[in-house]
Amino acid sequence: MTMLFETGLSRRFFLRGTGGGLLLGSALGAAGPSFAQSTGASGGGGPALPPDGPTGRPMPEMEKAMPEAPGKRLGYAIVGLGQFALNQIIPSFAESKSSKLVALVSGNRDKALQVADRYGVEQANIYDYQNFDRIADNDEIDIVYIILPNALHAEYTVRAFKAGKHVLCEKPMAVTADECETMIRAGREADRKLMIAYRAQYEPYNMEAIRMAREGELGRIRLVTSDHGRILDPKVPADQWRMVKALAGGGSLYDIGIYSLQAARTITGEEPVEVSAHISSDRSDPRFREIEELVAFQLRFPSGALANLTSSYSTAPVKRIQVFGSKASLVLDPATEYERHQMMVKTEKEERRVQIPEGNQFAAEMDHMAKAVLEEREPKTPGEEGLRDIRIMQAIYQAAEQGRPVSLETTGSTAR
Ligand code: NAD
């Protein structure tokens, strides 16, 4: 099943290719409103010509849904103006439908002023890490999005809940399972929502792969493999805290192995019952004095399906997911890029490319959170989802250290 692009596009190309406006009237014919009807012009016979002067036309056919009016969108405060916040998240508000940027939290006022100026944030809505708690007095802020080094996620989540705000928090949720539990409890006590920013679960290709696997289009899922690797670069500021265990919590596993883990859990729809793992770190390399370099881990699921997963901080970039079912296999490569995903499905008889329109996954996840708040429902990726991954990753470290498999408590299928 190869999906085609939206029909709106092909119609536009058809009109361009055939001379545009004049043909539009006759192409619509009896089926659509004629230009004469829509402008109030009259005349018998053929299609009406546009008037010579300026005129107001009816609303055109919309190719993209319009956003909510600004007053109906929920206001976000972004905490931490680093690489990811400035390159991916803040620009994506322009493509969001239910979210808007209203406040910034940064330790660097000059940078915050520059960003505020460019994105129309009022200076009064700039906070730093000391006066952060004053967001409690700002009704424009509905949701706080935490994009800080991992070890700071728990503190700022709890402080945001104390200020009466909802929280969207970057992955990994926190460093320890205890921190995750504290965050979940703080949200419940404040009666506010907590969502973990697992962007892949809001990205169209990943969602389609999950759907195909869960709806049996690949047959019975027996094996998932996934590899996430990149080269950690000490010259890049965003990679400097990633080398410090006290700030990052872990190495390649916590940062990008979490995508391999998420792939196996979301595609099978099951929780692993057992994990085994190997870790290898070149301790003579200053990057890996505190955090791990390479992780290879295996998960066993209640259905008998297996996952063979890796993460690396010292090899050329890879972001790949492969699913092997009894009827077909699926390759998503790149799988967890910001854009330009590629998906192939292979059976004994054929190999075909699955093409679907790309979507802005960052805008989609922010809008999902805004809708969850507005409609008072749990987000698809709540704090409990983040906690599950932290528990499994802790078991992965334990399995590697002990040199034998570790069994995990399981609650059965993922309830999504
Ligand atoms: P970054 O270093 O570029 O940004 C971190 C921000 O936190 C900076 O603005 C920095 O000034 C601020 N900060 C505050 N206290 C700090 C401290 N003690 N040490 C270092 N920085 C401090 O990092 P990033 O790559 O933007 O990552 C931030 C978070 O976003 C991490 O949790 C990371 O896992 C997550 N992230 C997620 C994705 C994704 O695709 N979902 C991608 C990149 C990063």
Side-chain angles (χ1 to χ4, degrees):
M1 175 210 61
T2 301
M3 286 190 218
L4 294 172
F5 287 100
E6 287 167 328
T7 49
L9 285 180
S10 38
R11 183 183 306 176
R12 203 172 58 209
F13 289 137
F14 164 75
L15 288 171
R16 264 196 211 136
T18 53
L22 278 180
L23 265 176
L24 174 61
S26 55
L28 285 172
S34 74
F35 190 76
Q37 281 167 340
S38 60
T39 58
S42 63
L49 294 172
D52 292 341
T55 184
R57 302 281 313 270
M59 188 77 88
E61 188 182 321
M62 302 303 288
E63 286 169 19
K64 289 185 177 173
M66 283 201 282
E68 293 287 352
K72 285 193 171 171
R73 285 184 246 164
L74 293 197
Y76 270 82
I78 298 293
V79 187
L81 303 182
Q83 187 169 278
F84 186 61
L86 287 183
N87 291 312
Q88 265 67 48
I89 297 304
I90 292 180
S92 296
F93 280 102
E95 289 188 61
S96 76
K97 307 263 185 274
S98 315
S99 315
K100 62 182 173 185
L101 176 65
V102 296
L104 303 170
V105 182
S106 171
N108 179 336
R109 188 157 176 87
D110 286 345
K111 177 175 64 177
L113 280 167
Q114 266 188 61
V115 176
D117 179 50
R118 293 304 178 95
Y119 286 97
V121 172
E122 287 172 34
Q123 282 196 22
N125 288 356
I126 298 177
Y127 298 85
D128 60 31
Y129 299 114
Q130 284 70 44
N131 69 19
F132 171 72
D133 309 276
R134 286 194 211 144
I135 60 168
D137 304 323
N138 190 335
D139 289 342
E140 283 182 74
I141 303 171
D142 301 292
I143 300 165
V144 170
Y145 187 172
I146 294 162
I147 319 185
L148 292 168
N150 309 339
L152 301 174
H153 291 181
E155 178 190 337
Y156 283 87
T157 296
V158 171
R159 284 170 69 179
F161 282 140
K162 284 209 174 113
K165 307 302 179 187
H166 302 275
V167 175
L168 175 58
C169 178
E170 260 312 321
K171 47 53 66 178
M173 179 172 173
V175 170
T176 64
D178 281 352
E179 281 181 346
C180 297
E181 280 165 0
T182 304
M183 293 159 79
I184 292 169
R185 210 177 314 117
R188 283 204 197 115
E189 281 166 9
D191 196 19
R192 290 292 177 268
K193 306 276 178 226
L194 171 58
M195 170 171 150
I196 308 307
Y198 283 122
R199 61 180 172 81
Q201 291 203 41
Y202 303 91
E203 190 282 315
Y205 277 85
N206 282 265
M207 289 168 72
E208 177 63 0
I210 293 167
R211 187 199 66 74
M212 289 172 84
R214 300 268 196 104
E215 291 182 5
E217 287 182 21
L218 308 174
R220 196 170 165 221
I221 304 303
R222 303 304 290 148
L223 181 67
V224 178
T225 70
S226 181
D227 304 291
H228 283 83
R230 70 178 184 91
I231 294 175
L232 194 71
D233 184 351
K235 293 190 290 304
V236 174
D239 279 358
Q240 287 160 0
W241 64 261
R242 283 175 164 86
M243 298 187 297
V244 180
K245 184 144 195 245
L247 282 169
S252 66
L253 179 65
Y254 260 41
D255 192 30
I256 49 181
I258 194 168
Y259 290 105
S260 300
L261 172 57
Q262 273 273 307
R265 290 183 51 240
T266 54
I267 280 169
T268 58
E270 295 185 82
E271 295 303 329
V273 288
E274 189 181 76
V275 48
S276 46
H278 289 280
I279 292 183
S280 179
S281 306
D282 177 358
R283 296 292 180 203
S284 69
D285 184 328
R287 294 175 298 171
F288 308 121
R289 291 222 175 105
E290 296 191 16
I291 49 115
E292 81 278 356
E293 176 189 354
L294 306 168
V295 188
F297 55 108
Q298 289 79 40
L299 307 178
R300 193 163 60 79
F301 291 96
S303 65
L306 297 176
N308 200 17
L309 312 166
T310 67
S311 68
S312 160
Y313 255 171
S314 56
T315 51
V318 59
K319 300 176 173 183
R320 181 175 53 233
I321 298 170
Q322 297 182 97
V323 188
F324 301 91
S326 55
K327 286 203 290 205
S329 62
L330 177 154
V331 182
L332 192 50
D333 185 12
T336 51
E337 269 304 346
Y338 296 152
E339 53 195 357
R340 289 191 279 278
H341 299 83
Q342 298 226 42
M343 187 147 91
M344 299 293 294
V345 172
K346 200 172 173 179
T347 62
E348 261 179 49
K349 293 198 184 105
E350 58 160 5
E351 184 166 12
R352 63 200 154 85
R353 189 164 161 205
V354 179
Q355 256 184 309
I356 51 179
E358 294 272 357
N360 183 320
Q361 57 196 306
F362 312 109
E365 76 180 350
M366 290 193 288
D367 284 348
H368 179 90
M369 176 62 173
K371 282 269 165 61
V373 169
L374 285 167
E375 294 165 12
E376 293 185 21
R377 55 178 165 74
E378 270 304 277
K380 181 163 75 162
T381 51
E384 287 77 3
E385 173 79 351
L387 169 62
R388 277 186 206 113
D389 281 344
I390 297 293
R391 283 203 178 122
I392 298 167
M393 292 193 293
Q394 291 286 327
I396 290 167
Y397 288 136
Q398 199 188 334
E401 202 175 296
Q402 295 176 352
R404 59 185 159 80
V406 167
S407 57
L408 296 157
E409 270 177 47
T410 179
T411 50
S413 289
T414 309
R416 280 191 300 272

